[in-house]
Amino acid sequence: MSKRQFSSSAVRSATKTSSRWGKDKQANFFLAFRLDDKLVQQRLDHFSNHVHNTYPKWRKYLIRPAQAHVTICAMHLKDSTQVSAAAEILADSGDLVSKYLGNEPPSVLVKGVDAFDSGRVIQADVLDVSPELMAVIRELRLRFWSNGFSEP
């Protein structure tokens, strides 16, 4: 996703997990936005280098800083028809960024590091999100849910 519009490729390139565990209802597509701010990327790079140098056994759990993202919602999409429909909803939602954010970058405050899925996924806990970004997230979720897509 660029800073100014949502991309349907964000849905198409989402991580697929259900086939790995064979669970029909488990989320298999995740809608997220990249943390592509230059300062954020520098700090993530510093953190990643620190972990690689100080705790080398944990390096396999880190994604590249360029892949860092905030997940907005998770969905279970059953087939390519649903993936295409979800991608279309996302493509039609580009107006949300300019409607709520304008030219101002959103803010997300995170604290600490946590893990889930038996340590396979490392995450930072979100403490606060700017009201403007929260409005984008709420309306985007509403658009998906009102079209029959919901979190598992």
Side-chain angles (χ1 to χ4, degrees):
M1 181 175 96
S2 73
K3 290 182 181 181
R4 294 293 141 223
Q5 67 182 28
F6 293 103
S7 166
S8 60
S9 64
V11 171
R12 293 182 198 281
S13 65
T15 304
K16 196 164 191 168
T17 61
S18 67
S19 61
R20 185 179 336 177
W21 290 295
K23 297 180 181 178
D24 292 338
K25 304 252 182 200
Q26 184 168 349
N28 59 351
F29 286 87
F30 301 87
L31 183 61
F33 62 88
R34 296 266 183 222
L35 299 175
D36 58 1
D37 179 81
K38 189 175 182 175
L39 181 59
V40 170
Q41 283 294 305
Q42 288 173 350
R43 290 179 177 171
L44 288 170
D45 192 47
H46 177 77
F47 172 76
S48 182
N49 288 334
H50 174 73
V51 170
H52 284 206
N53 294 328
T54 311
Y55 308 100
K57 72 177 186 177
W58 296 105
R59 69 188 296 170
K60 66 182 178 182
Y61 295 108
L62 295 178
I63 60 173
R64 293 187 331 264
Q67 293 176 306
H69 60 276
V70 173
T71 301
I72 295 172
C73 67
M75 297 175 279
H76 178 76
L77 304 179
K78 297 175 185 170
D79 54 34
S80 60
T81 302
Q82 284 192 335
V83 172
S84 294
E88 188 174 324
I89 293 167
L90 184 61
D92 291 343
S93 297
D95 63 312
L96 296 179
V97 173
S98 58
K99 177 180 177 181
Y100 290 106
L101 298 175
N103 291 324
E104 294 299 316
S107 66
V108 177
L109 179 63
V110 296
K111 179 182 180 185
V113 176
D114 199 358
F116 65 93
D117 194 13
S118 302
R120 191 182 69 81
V121 178
I122 295 177
Q123 70 176 24
D125 294 324
V126 175
L127 292 178
D128 192 29
V129 176
S130 67
E132 298 83 9
L133 179 57
M134 201 63 228
V136 171
I137 293 169
R138 270 194 306 272
E139 190 162 332
L140 191 56
R141 283 179 166 178
L142 181 62
R143 288 182 184 192
F144 277 99
W145 294 338
S146 66
N147 282 281
F149 299 104
S150 62
E151 296 187 65

